[in-house]
Amino acid sequence: MTKSNEAPANELSRREFLNVFAAGAAAAVGTVSLSGLSGIANAQGGALRFAWLTPATLDPRSASGDSEIAILNAVYDYLIETDAAANLVPRLAASWDVSDDGLVYTLQLREDAAWHDGSPVTADDVVWTINWQIESEGSVASLLSTVESVSALGERAIEISLSAPNPDFLYNLTDNKLVILKAGAENIGVEFNGSGPFVFEEMIAGDRAILRANADYWGGAPSIDRLEFIYFSDQQAGIAALQGGSVDGIARLDNSSFLGFSGDVNFNTTDIATSGHHLARLRADREPGSDVRVRQAFKLATDRDAIWERVQLGFGAVGKDSPIGPAFGQYFLADAEVPARDPAAAAALLAEAGYPDGLDMTLHLPNSGNFPDLAQTLAAQWEEAGIRVEVRLEEENVYWNELWMDVDLGITGWGPRPVPQLYLDFAYHSEGVWNESHYSNERVDELIEIGRSSLDQAKRTAAYKEIQQILLDEGPIIVPYFFAAFMVLAGNISGLNLHPFAGRTNFNTAELG
């Protein structure tokens, strides 16, 4: 049996990855409140104001962006969470046991956890939540696809039985959407009876969410009395608000803006490496991306080091056309050799593939963050190889909801994940729910299956490294870099430890100086 009953020592996960919102969800995020609940600390000042982009939904089944997950993380609890190094950290689950065959997980729940309405958190609540997510058939259901049964063992323990071993199953339980709800919860995403460190008080649509400290939180009352998430329509407005003193912190900002705060004694800055990355991808199931020579031509036309320096300004790490980067330690194929940029060789491959005059394509991307800079840099590099692209900026939510999975050539931002298997299952298996490139490779599928189910660590590591080499050699993606996560705080704020997925940062540890 393997067992864990303590939070391990420390360091891995930007936003869940995309803004994939349920239709009509924005209408649900109106002015709502939940008052009269127990555990609300008396507000006597002590407010922390943090800038986010405006959330579109607070339903855990479809919440995705940092601003949405930040509220869920503050109001509810997860069974398990991860720290900045991707270690598993107990939360509602105080400890866990795993059977030797990897098929049965027994989780012991904290005895002192309570809902904001004063009732105790029980095993039945956890069982109900997991079944509710499975029945929703969303991304969490995909993560829990090997769950055969989940049952309560009395009031304070649950047992989860799997149909096949999954060495990353505990990491699946840390998914951003998998907050624990009270059994039978109604009006989910509009009413918020959580067990977390803050009590949801009010949402003023398009303006802010107001949370009060939960004085009875099992982990101890937060140091601050009130937490306000202030919403802005764009990143630069949030940055200006921090500079002007109307907010106390921000976590979503571009590299150059972050550099502008560095060295300013009025602010504290934090940056950490992550597994999050941006990529350019071709559809591999139709022309021209269905021809491996075209995919290789794009790779030969790209200078990843130059892109990293120009777009990331030296933060993060250079990529090697795979979602598995240096943040994953032993799984990373560090000695993989990326071919030197060679526009002439790229043009020759295009001619061999039937495009002697080069290619004309449209590059679609969301009009946010560093995406436009990345697109312009790629377009300039590719043009020397005869790959002429029209850069088409799309409104962010329109891109993710309507265009992303269909366009022939696009740019995607994948948020940090604690283990590589999550990227592979979602986006590189032939049947992955977010297989945006529509890539299908039998050998890659076999290797992903090994990574998903093998309890032999050496075998899993070898599978991951072979996947990286295949994607570098002939895959439909270019991963030029892995980005860093940033946070800037006013000089009087301390105690906040940035999580690689910024929305999972725990605000209950913050202190006002």
Side-chain angles (χ1 to χ4, degrees), residues 203-223:
M203 169 71 81
I204 303 173
D207 180 50
R208 71 191 63 205
I210 301 173
L211 312 176
R212 297 284 185 179
N214 176 8
D216 297 328
Y217 185 52
W218 58 262
S223 300

Side-chain angles (χ1 to χ4, degrees), residues 326-347:
F328 289 126
Q330 65 176 327
Y331 298 137
F332 177 52
L333 187 59
D335 56 358
E337 294 186 12
V338 179
R341 181 170 182 259
D342 190 338

Side-chain angles (χ1 to χ4, degrees), residues 217-241:
Y217 185 52
W218 58 262
S223 300
I224 55 175
D225 296 322
R226 189 167 74 258
L227 178 61
E228 295 186 10
F229 289 152
I230 314 297
Y231 298 127
F232 297 91
S233 59
D234 63 73
Q235 186 183 76
Q236 292 305 314
I239 292 169

